[in-house]
């Protein structure tokens, strides 16, 4: 009953005209940016973030969240029509979605995507409402050592599942931690790693890092790939709805995908792509249509989208209750909260109830908006994808520069953003994932603060991390993840080395 009462209060908050307007703006802009291939939800949130500085905290967070799940929804459109995913998670949707589009059933794929996204979003919202308050209550018993261990676990978990490999992921986390130490040490007042540059006294702003890594880098990568508008599918609204058999096949994969997405979204550092990939793999094993997977199956479109959207919602659970990002975009949400002087953690639920429950209720309102808004706008997104990207890139880079310049009215910030973007592109060429760097950058100062506080209270005794049950458990899990990641990396290297040796033997025999 308390949860229903609190959720009702949240609905009253989000239905206020101002909050409702910003929720709609966030959903629309998020979908618009998500439709564009190669941009993604990270860049969408980064570009929108400077606009929220002029808002109150509650409408700002509602708008950022709406941009996030709007972009994740919009990413499926380009993946279905062009086989060019707008977001990483949408690459899983493209497997079945584009196959359907090539059969002339793009409308069915897009409609199934909308239905599954709505179902996944609703289930994710219910999970947040039920679990977040309880988790926050549990987290109130955490001490500084426990918080340090939880943050460490989140960073290691995020780096261990990095596409570039565990070691590269950990290297990026450490780079982010070092980047977060630039500026004035809040404890001693000393300058650290500013290189004598006055503009770095206050550190590097999260918007600059996010815009550079996920805005400029994505643009450079898209330009280098010579991607051009090439959507050729025409959507016939008369052929929009699945057949009766396909309708009957949708509920089960939506429920399975939502359950998997809710689980992986709530785990710190995993994210939507992993949730969508695992959900698709599971569905490929259990679906009665598994033999047809890869040829265009409606259930294969629905399950990754349901997992993607439910993971998008439940990623807010560890973000808001523990202060540990549930996914890389959540690091920007934590940064935004800190800009408003709000520390994410267990006290947020009790100290900022209007914000928390307003945000949870906005998921209901925002997903309804997505469902109502995007079905009739699919034709618009199709026409948008036919515009050559060479006309879009200058507009996007100007928006990025305007957003960064508005932080301090300083040209130095623009140059720093462009430099970080160029470095980010070089990292991508060598398969260094940028997301762990952003997580390390955001969580580094929090981690350092909890470490100092723990050692101060224990008078420098590091054994305190193993004496507290929660901290010891988190560290044990962290060690296990690192050990498994190193084992898997070494095993893959041995397999690759063996395969190369076998290939060389074959080549010698042939010659």
């Amino acid at each position: 009953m308390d949860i229903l009462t609190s959720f009702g209060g949240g609905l009253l908050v989000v239905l206020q005209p101002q909050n409702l307007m910003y929720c709609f703006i966030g959903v629309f802009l998020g979908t618009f940016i998500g439709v564009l291939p190669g941009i993604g939800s990270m860049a969408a949130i980064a570009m929108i973030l400077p606009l929220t500085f002029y808002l109150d905290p509650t409408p700002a967070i509602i708008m950022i969240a709406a941009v996030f799940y709007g972009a994740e929804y919009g990413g499926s459109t380009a993946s279905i029509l062009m086989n060019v995913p707008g977001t990483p998670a949408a690459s899983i949707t493209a497997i079945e979605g584009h196959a359907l589009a090539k059969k002339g059933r793009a409308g069915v794929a897009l409609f199934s995507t909308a239905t599954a996204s709505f179902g996944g979003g609703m289930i994710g919202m219910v999970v947040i409402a039920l679990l977040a308050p309880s988790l926050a209550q549990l987290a109130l018993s955490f001490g500084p050592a426990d918080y340090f261990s939880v943050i460490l676990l989140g960073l290691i978990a995020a780096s261990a599942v990095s596409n570039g490999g565990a070691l590269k992921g950990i290297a990026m986390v450490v780079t982010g931690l070092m980047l977060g130490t630039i500026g004035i040490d809040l404890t001693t007042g000393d300058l650290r790693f500013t290189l004598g540059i006055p503009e770095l006294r206050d550190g590097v702003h999260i918007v600059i890092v996010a815009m550079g890594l996920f805005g400029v880098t994505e643009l450079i990568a898209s330009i280098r790939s010579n991607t051009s508008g090439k959507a050729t599918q025409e959507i016939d609204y008369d052929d929009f709805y699945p057949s009766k058999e396909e309708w009957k096949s949708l509920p089960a994969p939506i429920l399975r995908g939502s359950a998997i997405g809710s689980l992986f979204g709530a785990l710190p550092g995993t994210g939507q792509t992993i949730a969508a990939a695992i959900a698709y793999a599971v569905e490929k094993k259990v679906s009665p249509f598994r033999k047809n997977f890869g040829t265009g199956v409606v259930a294969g479109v629905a399950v990754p989208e349901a997992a993607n959207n439910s993971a998008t919602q439940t990623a807010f659970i560890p973000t808001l209750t523990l202060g540990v990002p549930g996914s890389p975009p959540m690091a920007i949400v934590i940064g935004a909260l800190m800009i408003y002087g709000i520390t994410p953690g267990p006290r947020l639920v009790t100290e900022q109830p209007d914000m928390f429950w307003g945000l949870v209720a906005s998921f209901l309102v925002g997903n309804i908006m997505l469902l109502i808004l995007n079905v009739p706008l699919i034709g618009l997104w199709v026409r948008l994808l036919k515009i050559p990207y060479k006309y879009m890139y200058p507009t996007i880079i100007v928006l990025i520069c305007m957003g960064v310049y508005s932080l301090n009215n300083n040209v130095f910030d623009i140059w720093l953003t462009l430099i970080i973007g160029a470095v980010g592109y070089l990292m991508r060429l060598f398969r260094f994932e940028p997301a762990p760097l952003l997580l390390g950058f955001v969580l580094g100062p929090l981690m350092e603060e909890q470490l100092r506080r723990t050692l101060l209270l224990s008078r420098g005794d590091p054994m305190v991390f193993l004496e507290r049950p929660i901290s010891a458990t988190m560290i044990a899990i962290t060690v296990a993840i690192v050990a498994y990641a190193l084992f898997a990396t070494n095993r893959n290297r041995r397999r690759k080395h063996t395969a190369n040796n076998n290939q060389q033997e074959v080549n010698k025999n042939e010659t």
Side-chain angles (χ1 to χ4, degrees):
M1 184 59 70
D2 289 340
I3 292 177
L4 289 177
T5 303
S6 300
F7 185 79
L11 274 177
L12 294 177
V13 171
V14 75
L15 291 177
Q16 294 175 8
Q18 181 191 27
N19 295 335
L20 202 60
M21 178 183 69
Y22 285 115
C23 183
F24 175 81
I25 293 173
V27 164
F28 181 83
L29 291 179
T31 306
F32 175 82
I33 298 174
V35 166
L36 301 177
I39 305 300
S41 57
M42 290 289 290
I45 297 174
M47 285 189 280
I48 294 300
L49 188 56
L51 302 179
T52 65
F53 293 163
Y54 308 99
L55 305 178
D56 292 331
T58 298
I61 296 303
I62 288 175
M63 183 177 175
I64 291 172
V67 169
F68 179 30
Y69 54 79
E72 290 295 331
Y73 172 86
S76 62
T77 302
S79 70
I80 290 171
L81 296 177
M82 299 168 56
N83 203 25
V84 182
T87 61
S91 61
I92 312 299
T93 307
I95 299 172
E96 303 296 332
H98 190 62
L100 277 170
K102 288 194 292 186
K103 292 179 178 179
R105 307 192 70 206
V108 172
L110 290 168
F111 185 82
S112 301
T113 294
T115 305
S117 296
F118 179 77
M122 291 300 95
I123 292 174
M125 180 202 67
V126 172
V127 172
I128 293 179
L130 294 177
L131 292 187
S134 301
L135 185 58
Q137 195 67 33
L138 173 65
L140 286 173
S141 62
F142 282 23
D146 303 322
Y147 272 116
F148 173 85
S149 301
V150 169
I151 293 173
L152 180 64
L153 172 60
L155 290 176
I156 295 300
S159 60
V161 297
S162 173
N163 291 333
L167 292 179
K168 288 183 177 180
I170 293 173
M172 295 305 288
V173 166
V174 173
T175 303
L177 291 172
M178 295 175 63
L179 192 62
T181 61
I182 295 175
I184 298 175
D185 185 342
L186 297 179
T187 303
T188 65
D190 295 333
L191 288 176
R192 302 189 296 183
F193 311 114
T194 60
L195 304 177
I197 302 174
E199 289 84 355
L200 293 178
R201 288 175 57 89
D202 295 327
V204 182
H205 202 285
I206 184 175
V207 173
I208 294 174
V209 177
M211 288 277 204
L213 287 178
F214 299 97
V216 177
T217 296
E218 294 290 350
L219 283 177
I220 296 174
S222 298
I223 293 171
R224 290 279 297 168
S225 65
N226 292 321
T227 306
S228 59
K230 54 182 179 181
T232 57
Q233 294 288 335
E234 296 295 338
I235 304 299
D236 188 349
Y237 287 93
D238 293 333
D239 299 327
F240 219 67
Y241 300 102
S243 64
K244 288 184 178 180
E245 184 180 356
E246 289 171 334
W247 265 117
K248 293 178 181 178
S249 71
L250 279 176
I254 289 176
L255 289 174
R256 283 192 288 264
S258 299
I260 294 171
S262 297
L263 172 62
F264 281 90
L267 297 177
T270 50
Q272 296 78 41
T273 306
I274 294 174
I278 291 177
Y280 180 78
V282 170
E283 191 66 20
K284 204 171 180 181
K285 296 288 185 183
V286 303
S287 174
F289 307 98
R290 55 185 175 273
K291 293 182 179 179
N292 297 325
F293 268 53
T295 63
V297 180
V298 169
V301 176
V303 72
E305 279 301 302
N308 178 23
N309 269 42
S310 60
T312 299
Q313 315 292 342
T314 56
F316 282 88
I317 294 177
T319 303
L320 299 178
T321 60
L322 300 177
V324 179
S327 63
M330 291 295 97
I332 302 181
V333 173
I334 288 179
L337 288 170
M338 290 180 174
I339 290 171
Y340 287 108
I342 299 171
T343 303
R347 298 190 183 279
L348 186 143
V349 179
T350 54
E351 293 178 356
Q352 303 284 342
D354 286 350
M355 173 187 289
F356 175 80
W357 288 106
L359 177 63
V360 173
S362 75
F363 297 152
L364 170 63
V365 175
N367 276 284
I368 292 174
M369 286 181 178
L370 274 174
L371 190 63
I372 296 175
L373 181 67
N374 281 287
V375 171
L377 284 183
I378 286 173
L380 172 63
W381 305 138
V382 172
R383 287 191 289 272
L384 177 67
L385 290 173
K386 293 182 179 181
I387 301 175
Y389 295 146
K390 63 182 179 181
Y391 300 126
M392 294 186 183
Y393 293 142
T395 304
I396 295 173
I397 198 69
V398 167
L399 291 175
I400 290 175
C401 291
M402 288 175 58
V404 171
Y405 182 79
S406 67
L407 296 174
N408 301 306
N409 296 328
N410 195 330
V411 178
F412 174 83
D413 292 340
I414 296 178
W415 285 111
L416 186 58
T417 303
L418 297 177
I419 291 171
I420 290 175
V423 173
Y425 178 69
L426 291 176
M427 292 189 304
R428 170 175 289 198
L429 292 179
F430 291 96
R431 296 193 65 201
F432 284 89
E433 288 289 308
L437 188 151
L438 182 65
L439 291 173
F441 173 76
V442 172
L443 294 179
L446 291 173
M447 191 176 182
E448 181 185 15
E449 178 186 350
Q450 299 299 339
L451 176 62
R452 284 181 166 182
R453 187 177 297 173
T454 302
L455 294 178
L456 182 65
L457 293 174
S458 66
R459 299 187 178 183
D461 182 11
M463 292 303 294
V464 67
F465 294 104
L466 300 178
E467 292 171 355
R468 294 183 61 87
I470 296 176
S471 176
T473 302
M474 297 298 174
I475 289 178
I477 297 173
T478 302
V479 171
I481 291 174
V482 172
Y484 177 77
L486 293 176
F487 169 76
T489 301
N490 192 36
R491 180 186 59 190
N492 291 337
R493 285 180 177 175
R494 286 200 305 268
R495 287 179 177 175
K496 188 175 181 181
H497 180 70
T498 302
N500 289 336
N501 289 340
N502 292 338
Q503 186 62 42
Q504 289 175 3
E505 290 293 332
V506 171
N507 293 337
K508 286 181 182 180
N509 293 334
E510 288 178 352
T511 55

